[in-house]
Structures are given as structure tokens and as C-alpha cells.
Amino acid sequence: MSTIQTKPAPVGGLRLHNFALAVRDLDAMIAWYEAVLGFAVSERGRFDAVGADYAMIEAGGMRIELVSRAGETGRPVDRTAPPGHLNVPGWKALVLETDDLPAATAALVRHTVEIVWADQPLSAHLRSTMIRDPEGNMINIFGPAK
């Protein structure tokens, strides 16, 4: 007698709610994301179940949850430089897109952010500027090659 095994159906109806980023200094990171990338706080609160404060920040239809357990000692951010960062499993970067990468890059320079690379060609059609936020998290901004 043969039995036919069927795979269960995947979970349906999912959509992205937000990207969560654990930070050490919630207020400083809110200020940086507002001043440099134009995000605005849409909600602040506390997750009692995990003893963490959070701020939901939004810009351009994107939502990032900054979450912090104040007073806790955290592990350092993995600051492996590209391309070696791809050898470390896990999330690599927040990836954003712009129609004018040179202008975005110039604005980032004016904000004196840590730039990993600026307006670098990735392919015949795509360029990128990669930066780090104040706590070392990478943010990659794509734009069209001109």
C-alpha cells in the first residue's frame, strides 16, 4: 500500500509590518534617523513582556521599529566590512532606494555619516552608497546608474 504525502500549504496572507532594529540608545537613534534619513516617530511605547522601550518611525511608506532594553549590556555589532560581511549569517543591511543617488550621497556627506562606500557601481544599471548608523548598522542606498 502506498501513501501519498502532501506538503502543508505555506502560510498565506502575510505582508511586511515593519523592520525591527535593536538599539542601545533609543533617543539618540530616533534623532539620527529623523535628522539624516527623514523618518518621524509615529508611536512610542513599552513591551513589558521583554522589558523594552520602542519607537516606531516612518518615512516613505516604510516603518522601522527601534527597540531598546535600557541598562542592559549588549553584544557589539558585527562590523565586518563588505564584501566579508556576506560571510556572516544574518540580516546584512537596511536597503533603501532613491532616484538621485548623487544627491542622496552628497546629503549624507553633509551629515558627516560613516560612509562605507559612496556612489559605487554594482552593475550596469545600479549604483550604491553604503553607510553605517551611529551604532554600526549598515544602510545601503541604491540608485540607477546614470
Side-chain angles (χ1 to χ4, degrees), residues 78 84-95 130 137-139:
D78 183 320
H85 73 301
L86 297 176
N87 298 333
V88 180
W91 299 103
K92 297 294 108 189
L94 171 63
V95 180
M130 184 177 284
N137 302 294
M138 288 193 289
I139 300 168

Side-chain angles (χ1 to χ4, degrees), residues 35-121:
V36 176
L37 299 180
F39 282 82
V41 174
S42 61
E43 178 182 343
R44 278 194 85 153
R46 180 159 179 84
F47 296 128
D48 289 328
V50 293
D53 295 311
Y54 74 92
M56 197 67 72
I57 59 174
E58 298 186 34
M62 297 175 289
R63 188 171 29 217
I64 298 174
E65 174 189 316
L66 302 176
V67 62
S68 179
R69 294 184 67 212
E72 295 292 325
T73 303
R75 294 188 326 201
V77 173
D78 183 320
R79 295 184 63 87
T80 304
H85 73 301
L86 297 176
N87 298 333
V88 180
W91 299 103
K92 297 294 108 189
L94 171 63
V95 180
L96 306 174
E97 183 177 23
T98 181
D99 293 329
D100 191 347
L101 186 61
T105 302
L108 293 167
V109 168
R110 287 191 298 278
H111 280 282
T112 63
V113 302
E114 180 182 344
I115 295 180
V116 177
W117 65 59
D119 205 356
Q120 176 174 307

Side-chain angles (χ1 to χ4, degrees), residues 6 9 11 35 48 52 76 84 101 107 125:
T6 60
V11 175
D48 289 328
L101 186 61
H125 306 287

Side-chain angles (χ1 to χ4, degrees), residues 23-31 44 53-55 66-68:
V23 300
R24 286 191 181 97
D25 187 333
L26 185 58
D27 291 329
M29 293 297 279
I30 290 168
R44 278 194 85 153
D53 295 311
Y54 74 92
L66 302 176
V67 62
S68 179

